[in-house]
Amino acid sequence: NAGVTQTPKFRVLKTGQSMTLLCAQDMNHEYMYWYRQDPGMGLRLIHYSVGEGTTAKGEVPDGYNVSRLKKQNFLLGLESAAPSQTSVYFCASSATLRLTEAFFGQGTRLTVV
Amino acid sequence: KQEVTQIPAALSVPEGENLVLNCSFTDSAIYNLQWFRQDPGKGLTSLLLIQSSQREQTSGRLNASLDKSSGRSTLYIAASQPGDSATYLCAPHTGNQFYFGTGTSLTVIP
């Protein structure tokens, strides 16, 4: 009964390094999302996917890339990390876009020094 | 762009009180609205989902109402318990995403 699983849970990067965050869901959901959460701000959408092989930009996409090669996985990449990308990243999934609830992972706390 | 405001930002109540958390949003063209709970350092747990055609949704001690035309939703928590202490987030679904407020931080004092 895993739901949405994010890997890793914590990471410290140096400025300029790259990394990939993995999100896996076992609910056969079509839609997946990446959000970031910063102190004093609501969660903001980075990128989302409406199905395998598709991705789209959200509110704050700059500096990030995503891929959805398999329906159950949604990857978020940082090619050259910057201190401004220090944040908590959340992945979510939903069965449909508009009628069903979204389920969230436990988050990845990323610090860029 | 959808703007979401949650009032109050923080709330501290004695155990057993009934309480109301408020959420307002600027764009009434929503598909649904979801209430979440977030514990410190944890992910978001879904509490209730209200479709745009619904006025109310209940789950146990929780009751959420929605007035889409005025851009408001309230979460009512009955007989609060210390285990209810958390941050509560509302998220109206507009377009292709959920939009989030900054939440109400609730502390229930034993």
Side-chain angles (χ1 to χ4, degrees), chain A residues 48 59 97-99 101, chain B residues 1 32 46 51 93 96 98:
Chain A
Y48 65 98
E59 185 183 349
L97 190 58
R98 297 164 185 175
L99 297 178
E101 62 189 313
Chain B
K1 176 178 176 285
N32 56 56
S46 177
Q51 299 296 342
H93 194 165
N96 293 322
F98 287 92

Side-chain angles (χ1 to χ4, degrees), chain A residues 26-60:
Chain A
D26 61 2
M27 298 172 281
N28 201 36
H29 285 173
E30 288 291 337
Y31 300 89
M32 297 187 74
Y33 317 82
W34 276 106
Y35 283 86
R36 60 177 290 173
Q37 185 177 37
D38 301 294
M41 304 184 74
L43 279 78
R44 293 178 292 168
L45 184 66
I46 305 171
H47 285 280
Y48 65 98
S49 167
V50 300
E52 182 178 318
T54 72
T55 63
K57 294 181 180 179
E59 185 183 349
V60 288

Side-chain angles (χ1 to χ4, degrees), chain A residues 13-19 78-85 111-113:
Chain A
L13 282 181
K14 294 183 178 179
T15 298
Q17 285 185 322
S18 64
M19 78 162 294
L78 286 72
E79 290 187 349
S80 180
S84 61
Q85 294 178 304
T111 302
V112 182
V113 298

Side-chain angles (χ1 to χ4, degrees), chain B residues 2 4 13 16 24 35 50-51 65-66 69 104:
Chain B
Q2 179 76 277
V4 181
V13 299
S24 62
W35 280 91
I50 312 178
Q51 299 296 342
S65 66
L66 174 64
S69 61
T104 293

Side-chain angles (χ1 to χ4, degrees), chain B residues 37-58:
Chain B
R37 167 190 173 131
Q38 185 175 27
D39 292 284
K42 303 292 186 183
L44 280 67
T45 300
S46 177
L47 297 174
L48 289 164
L49 173 73
I50 312 178
Q51 299 296 342
S52 61
S53 59
Q54 294 179 308
R55 300 281 296 184
E56 208 170 284
Q57 191 68 257
T58 298

